[in-house]
Amino acid sequence: MKKILLLLLLITIGTVCHAKEPCTNKTSVRDYQFNINTQPYKFISYFCEDKDEDDAIFFKPGILEIHGKNFNKTYKNVIGMAGHRGIIFSQWNDKHKPVFFYSIKYTTAYIPIIIKDNNIMIKCSYIELTLRTGIEANYSYCGDLQIVEDGFGDKGFEKFIPDFYLYPAYYNLYFSKDKESLQYKEFDGFIGKIDDISFYRRYSSIKDFKSNKYTVVMANKEKEYRFKSEDEIYQRMAG
């Protein structure tokens, strides 16, 4: 019996000795506190510069720690930098919400963090896209609730960033000047599409068409939505 106990003790000591040490070289440490579902949670994120992070999918791996009542979790390979793509933990300043901030080339997105059933989840993304022409587009997407786990990685966020297709209507549409009726009637020019939702530029005359003055209209086969020029417009699509 003594030999068995001694063997168990040696195994336990060996396991502890070989356990991987936490990150010892932390940079860009961010520390926030949020109330979620009336409960306080502390969010700590940082880049881990340890050289032995060979299993990381990011060339600059990050770690996210979340602490609350009966909730203490550490996430690896969820945030970090990989090529032109970056995912960091941040807060949505004007809404004071914890989010994953996604960035690649001309696209950025805020992906709110949800705590449910003792899990970290995401459901929606709010996207800001700057086109090469300088035009800015804001849109959003909501899919099924998805649990964020270790190894979630950049590809896990991709499905929440749907593509925005823009067509150069200004150069592809042609209205001959001899059609005087167009001078007094409203007409449309198709410019973009997200899934089954179409985006139009609505002009009031050829003169406005040439000067690039337009009102954004979003429409599908059944409905049309009009907005004032000062409105901040988001289009949300269920999965």
Side-chain angles (χ1 to χ4, degrees):
M1 186 64 181
K2 290 183 179 180
K3 291 183 178 179
I4 294 175
L5 291 174
L6 180 60
L7 180 60
L8 289 174
L9 180 60
L10 291 173
I11 292 174
T12 302
I13 293 174
T15 302
V16 172
C17 290
H18 287 86
K20 191 171 183 179
E21 293 294 328
C23 181
T24 57
N25 189 9
K26 302 176 183 179
T27 60
S28 301
V29 179
R30 302 167 71 92
D31 190 337
Y32 295 103
Q33 183 165 317
F34 299 93
N35 286 328
I36 302 175
N37 303 326
T38 70
Q39 295 293 328
Y41 290 89
K42 188 174 184 179
F43 290 75
I44 304 173
S45 70
Y46 48 88
F47 289 120
C48 186
E49 305 290 349
D50 291 353
K51 294 182 179 179
D52 58 350
E53 293 290 332
D54 296 330
D55 58 338
I57 64 172
F58 298 100
F59 78 84
K60 189 172 183 180
I63 294 177
L64 175 62
E65 297 180 11
I66 305 176
H67 305 285
K69 184 178 180 180
N70 300 320
F71 190 98
N72 291 285
K73 293 191 176 183
T74 299
Y75 295 88
K76 295 177 57 179
N77 285 332
V78 172
I79 60 175
M81 307 293 292
H84 297 291
R85 184 182 288 103
I87 303 167
I88 64 172
F89 168 78
S90 186
Q91 69 170 343
W92 208 345
N93 290 329
D94 58 339
K95 303 182 183 351
H96 193 64
K97 291 183 177 179
V99 295
F100 291 110
F101 179 74
Y102 174 99
S103 175
I104 180 172
K105 292 184 179 179
Y106 304 104
T107 302
T108 59
Y110 295 91
I111 306 174
I113 293 173
I114 300 169
I115 298 181
K116 183 178 180 180
D117 299 330
N118 209 39
N119 286 308
I120 295 296
M121 298 182 174
I122 60 173
K123 180 177 177 63
C124 298
S125 59
Y126 298 84
I127 304 149
E128 298 175 358
L129 171 65
T130 301
L131 304 165
R132 293 182 179 179
T133 58
I135 295 175
E136 294 183 356
N138 294 339
Y139 61 103
S140 65
Y141 174 81
C142 290
D144 296 329
L145 271 174
Q146 183 167 333
I147 297 175
V148 177
E149 299 176 316
D150 285 356
F152 189 74
D154 57 326
K155 291 184 179 179
F157 290 94
E158 292 288 319
K159 64 182 65 177
F160 287 90
I161 316 293
D163 290 329
F164 177 87
Y165 299 96
L166 182 72
Y167 299 87
Y170 187 84
Y171 299 101
N172 290 348
L173 292 180
Y174 175 73
F175 298 92
S176 59
K177 294 181 179 180
D178 57 354
K179 293 184 178 180
E180 295 295 330
S181 61
L182 288 179
Q183 299 284 349
Y184 309 101
K185 291 185 178 180
E186 201 173 65
F187 63 93
D188 296 340
F190 176 73
I191 62 163
K193 187 177 183 68
I194 303 177
D195 287 356
D196 64 341
I197 304 296
S198 298
F199 293 76
Y200 294 85
R201 286 178 177 176
R202 171 152 286 172
Y203 302 88
S204 59
S205 68
I206 288 181
K207 182 178 179 180
D208 287 339
F209 177 74
K210 289 191 172 183
S211 64
N212 207 26
K213 294 180 180 179
Y214 62 92
T215 299
V216 174
V217 177
M218 294 187 290
N220 57 23
K221 294 180 180 179
E222 299 178 353
K223 295 182 180 180
E224 181 179 285
Y225 307 88
R226 298 177 181 228
F227 301 90
K228 298 178 181 178
S229 59
E230 63 270 19
D231 288 343
E232 183 177 359
I233 304 169
Y234 286 95
Q235 178 63 45
R236 175 176 295 174
M237 297 166 291

